[in-house]
Amino acid sequence: MFPQLAQFQDLALLLLRVMVAAVFLDSGWKHVRDPETRSKSIGMSKSVTAAVGVAEILGGLGVLFGVLTQLAAIGLILVMLGAMQKKMFVWHTGFWGKQGQGWQYDLMFVVMNLVILTSNGGAYVLWKGRGW
């Protein structure tokens, strides 16, 4: 319907990457900065909480700067699938959950990272890698 908008595809992908990175960098930093408190809130050990935080930070940086973008997106998808598994099968939270604390947010980030994965982040990346 609006083919002229296709010229902004790479800019839209860059903005998507910036948004995904902002969320994961913030979350990862909270995990790494205070793993003891965060581990209690998410029901994991301090070491696993810190490891998840490091994964979120590395994935967020990869997606943000476009370095090994597809691997970063895969890593972030795995983090979110783990969060969804915990919410669905351990905490028995519904899609929306109480007070919006369901797994709809996690699913949204899985899909956002699938777009990044399949597009390799668009044109505005620092390093695409060799491809698979």
Side-chain angles (χ1 to χ4, degrees), residues 37-91:
T37 302
R38 292 291 285 182
S39 68
K40 291 176 186 173
S41 72
I42 61 176
M44 290 196 255
S45 70
K46 288 191 314 186
S47 59
V48 170
T49 300
V52 169
V54 169
E56 288 181 330
I57 290 170
L58 292 176
L61 289 172
V63 165
L64 177 63
F65 292 112
V67 176
L68 300 174
T69 311
Q70 290 178 312
L71 288 176
I74 289 170
L76 296 176
I77 288 169
L78 293 174
V79 168
M80 296 317 295
L81 290 176
M84 290 172 64
Q85 182 274 335
K86 186 105 173 170
K87 288 181 179 182
M88 283 190 253
F89 302 112
V90 177
W91 298 338

Side-chain angles (χ1 to χ4, degrees), residues 88-114:
M88 283 190 253
F89 302 112
V90 177
W91 298 338
H92 303 288
T93 305
F95 183 73
W96 295 111
K98 294 180 182 177
Q99 301 172 338
Q101 300 294 325
W103 49 272
Q104 81 284 358
Y105 176 83
D106 308 287
L107 182 60
M108 181 179 65
F109 277 96
V110 168
V111 173
M112 291 166 78
N113 276 294
L114 280 173

Side-chain angles (χ1 to χ4, degrees), residues 108-130:
M108 181 179 65
F109 277 96
V110 168
V111 173
M112 291 166 78
N113 276 294
L114 280 173
V115 171
I116 294 168
L117 171 65
T118 58
S119 67
N120 201 8
Y124 304 131
V125 296
L126 292 178
W127 185 48
K128 288 189 182 264
R130 290 189 168 228

